[in-house]
Amino acid sequence: MAVPSAVAGLLRRPARLGDAVYAAIFERIMALEITPGERISVDAVARELGVSQTPIREALTRLEDEGLVQKTPLVGYSATARLSADEITHLYEIRLQLEPFAARKCAALMPEAVIEQLEALILEMAGLKSGGVEAYAQFAQLDMAFHDQIAVSAGNPLVAEALGRLHAHVHLFRLQARAGVPDDANQEHAALVTAIQARDGDRAEAAMREHIERSWQRFA
């Protein structure tokens, strides 16, 4: 199964035009410069970014796989509509079932090199300014990479696939409610990585469960 785009773009940092174009469109969606439901013109974005339509279509296909973009026959691409409050509740219910399991698996399976990558992501998130839509959009991309890497490292492709489309919608929903980097989240990330590094499956599972529950409370 393909590695989620957030992981490929942030943890591996490949110097490809397609990745740069993907990141540019992703940031516009997460910063609400492209609003939920808004049509995305391939030609217009290609002119704005100064590239051909090919990397634009490649990026939009990746974003479609992540659920951030949808393609309508004979119409084209548009940003996915914002989830409702009920849909967000359903999303968190799924996360509570799958992500603690993934964290437990990571305590047994995750290589030290990947743990170091998670620690680097935590440092990047800690270095962001606390306020504003732009800062939150940056936090959202780092947070997605963090959670996607845990899902991938659990060694269960079905879990990674199920979780791959969830996190972006959480962040988009929160952005439209209130922006600002949640400082508590980084402390929760650190506790989780500490448990994984200690190879303590019980503690890793509990830390992930607490993180998701607190994230849900922050929405409330």
Side-chain angles (χ1 to χ4, degrees), residues 163-192:
L163 291 172
R165 295 168 63 92
L166 300 184
H167 302 116
H169 290 287
V170 170
H171 291 300
L172 276 172
F173 188 95
R174 188 176 188 278
L175 263 170
Q176 290 183 294
R178 57 187 176 88
V181 176
D183 295 332
D184 292 348
N186 231 22
Q187 297 175 18
E188 295 155 18
H189 288 155
L192 172 61

Side-chain angles (χ1 to χ4, degrees), residues 109-189:
L109 299 175
M110 182 175 281
E112 285 294 330
V114 178
I115 294 174
E116 292 174 3
Q117 290 176 329
L118 293 183
E119 291 173 333
L121 286 174
I122 291 172
L123 287 175
E124 285 192 66
M125 284 185 268
L128 295 174
K129 296 180 180 179
S130 60
V133 170
E134 183 177 348
Y136 187 81
Q138 294 171 354
F139 168 81
Q141 190 170 15
L142 293 166
D143 183 72
M144 285 172 59
F146 182 91
H147 283 274
D148 283 345
Q149 184 61 72
I150 289 172
V152 169
S153 298
N156 187 322
L158 294 179
V159 169
E161 184 177 358
L163 291 172
R165 295 168 63 92
L166 300 184
H167 302 116
H169 290 287
V170 170
H171 291 300
L172 276 172
F173 188 95
R174 188 176 188 278
L175 263 170
Q176 290 183 294
R178 57 187 176 88
V181 176
D183 295 332
D184 292 348
N186 231 22
Q187 297 175 18
E188 295 155 18
H189 288 155

